Amino acid sequence: MKILVINCGSSSLKFQLIDSESEEVLAKGLCERIGIDGALTYTPAGGEKEQYEKAMPTHSEAITYVIEALTNEKTGVIKSLDEIQAIGHRVVHGGERFTSSVVITDEVKAEIEACNDLAPLHNPANLIGINACEKLIPSAKAVAVFDTAFHQTMPPKAYLYGLPYEYYEKYRIRKYGFHGTSHSYVSKRCAELLNVPYDSVKTIVCHLGNGASISAVDRGKCVDTTMGLTPLEGLIMGTRCGDIDPSVIEFICNKEGISPSEAMTVLNKKSGVLGLSKGLSSDFRDLQGAADSGNEFAAGAIESFCYSVAKHVGSFAAAMNGVDNIVFTAGIGENNCIVREKVLEYLTFLGITIDKEANAVRGEEITISTPDSLVRVMVIPTNEELAIARETAALV
Ligand code: ADP
């Protein structure tokens, strides 16, 4: 079955066409600057990347161009739209309503809309993508795969904040967690690679990208995660501050004469390693380069990030009363061996010893701990699109 995987952001749309039997990516691409001007990149399997500037006032035009690219005579990979049997949509927030992926109906769309409050930038964009695909590719069955669903197994002691309980009852203020598709894929893949039952191991997944989160997966169930009501909580990230004393917000507002919503923009967009490096960069390649040339703030930002990761891994080992596997994934987790080494240096108390040679390998599924390490440490590249295609295939 050919499955189109769609990941809509507020001004972007990423897509992959995947053959669900062979799990081969037939074509992939990205629409950017939707609502501003518009640009499409498209790469068919085995072919060259193509780039076009196209007017994209809305996601509807973007999807029209995606269809054009997929079906064009020269570099298209399908003859007609009928070949797309299903569409898997990434949806950021499923609130407490969605504990797994679902076939999209009008009722499901209304429930996704009801979660808009919880993800005001993402869920409306996801719905626009769903509606545009429904209009333009009506024959394909559509499935919603939620970022939050995997974390819905967390117990109340993990997801409740220490706030008046009525806020949870009235507004559903609680920890939800994100990157669920990645945490689920990577933790399952870890068990598969080790040839052990998923429900027999305790695994901590470190999804370290520009957005970063960690999850504790206790015998097949997520029992805790670092992101919260929104993706701002937890680790120090590329531009997000992660955990801070909430009083900081009022303090900044008073000192800088800014509103709470302006302060939130600072915490989301100007903080993290970008903020700590005095605005140098949110990208770890830039930070590493600067640190190597003696920039103490870049070096300090990397150190704070690694400390933050190690501290949360330690807390999740306590949450599960032990850990069998620690897995690194996403841009930094897969590629940055210096970060991995620094994080693991903090964790020698768990009996971890690192195999430095294996740790130098990049972007591969690999064990980077030594055979006598008490906890196995692995790198497993994430593949959210494939995970979405699998969920979609299973439901349709
Ligand atoms: P997101 O999907 O959250 O935008 P990514 O998972 O792409 O983020 O991760 C971005 C981070 O990963 C950046 O800090 C970047 O430096 C790092 N990264 C990505 N690819 C590489 C690579 N090939 N080599 C080194 N670092 C990389």
Side-chain angles (χ1 to χ4, degrees), residues 27 30 49 108 154 163 184 220 238 241 299 309 334 345 366 391:
L30 168 70
K49 189 189 219 176
V108 166
M154 285 189 291
L163 290 170
S184 164
C241 61
V309 173
E334 289 164 28
E345 271 167 14
I366 190 168
E391 293 268 316

Side-chain angles (χ1 to χ4, degrees), residues 80-123:
S80 93
L81 275 189
D82 299 341
E83 289 183 49
I84 301 176
Q85 278 153 304
I87 304 177
H89 291 273
R90 174 193 180 212
V91 178
V92 167
H93 220 304
E96 289 186 316
R97 166 66 183 78
F98 297 105
T99 55
S100 60
S101 306
V102 287
V103 173
I104 298 174
T105 59
D106 285 343
E107 193 200 345
V108 166
K109 286 200 286 182
E111 304 231 26
I112 294 173
E113 194 172 352
C115 299
N116 278 2
D117 247 12
L118 296 167
L121 293 179
H122 292 99
N123 271 32

Side-chain angles (χ1 to χ4, degrees), residues 20 31 33 59 78 126 158 167 208 217 261 272 288 360 364 385 394:
S20 65
C31 298
R33 301 175 60 82
H59 288 72
I78 50 174
N126 300 151
Y167 293 159
L208 311 180
V217 187
S261 96
Q288 196 61 58
E364 267 180 38
E385 288 78 13

Side-chain angles (χ1 to χ4, degrees), residues 195-352:
N195 210 10
V196 294
Y198 189 43
D199 60 6
S200 72
V201 280
K202 299 178 180 182
T203 302
I204 295 175
V205 178
C206 305
H207 176 109
L208 311 180
N210 194 26
S213 69
I214 301 182
S215 67
V217 187
D218 189 351
R219 289 159 288 188
K221 286 202 167 70
C222 175
V223 293
D224 211 336
T225 190
T226 53
M227 282 180 168
L229 175 75
T230 75
L232 188 55
E233 189 181 340
L235 304 174
I236 288 176
M237 307 180 211
T239 64
R240 297 189 190 118
C241 61
D243 296 336
I244 55 165
D245 178 347
S247 311
V248 169
I249 299 170
E250 188 190 22
F251 202 88
I252 300 176
C253 289
N254 290 340
K255 292 285 181 197
E256 295 273 310
I258 58 176
S259 67
S261 96
E262 286 168 324
M264 291 313 293
T265 304
V266 173
L267 303 192
N268 272 296
K269 302 236 156 95
K270 297 186 177 164
S271 303
V273 289
L274 173 71
L276 287 170
S277 65
K278 290 196 160 185
L280 183 79
S281 180
S282 60
D283 192 298
F284 273 68
R285 286 167 284 202
D286 300 338
L287 293 175
Q288 196 61 58
D292 291 345
S293 327
N295 183 320
E296 61 182 298
F297 299 102
I302 295 171
E303 204 57 57
S304 294
F305 175 81
C306 296
Y307 176 67
S308 163
V309 173
K311 205 167 61 166
H312 283 88
V313 170
S315 73
F316 284 173
M320 294 193 288
N321 201 359
V323 54
D324 301 307
N325 312 301
I326 297 173
V327 190
F328 288 93
T329 194
I332 300 162
E334 289 164 28
N335 295 295
N336 196 317
C337 56
I338 298 172
V339 165
R340 290 196 299 255
E341 189 173 338
K342 276 182 189 288
V343 169
L344 293 173
E345 271 167 14
Y346 285 106
L347 299 170
T348 49
F349 77 97
L350 288 173
I352 292 175

Side-chain angles (χ1 to χ4, degrees), residues 3-9 11-18 24-34 38-52 56 59 62-63 65-70 75 77 88 385:
I3 295 176
L4 182 61
V5 175
I6 297 275
N7 181 355
C8 265
S11 68
S12 70
L13 183 159
K14 283 191 224 160
F15 66 94
Q16 283 194 6
L17 186 67
I18 296 177
E24 187 194 347
V25 178
L26 305 172
K28 62 180 178 183
L30 168 70
C31 298
E32 285 176 292
R33 301 175 60 82
I34 300 169
L40 167 77
T41 51
Y42 168 76
T43 316
E48 298 277 305
K49 189 189 219 176
E50 300 168 13
Q51 278 177 301
Y52 307 96
M56 295 177 191
H59 288 72
I63 290 170
Y65 294 126
V66 170
I67 294 172
E68 244 178 59
L70 290 171
T75 54
V77 291
E385 288 78 13

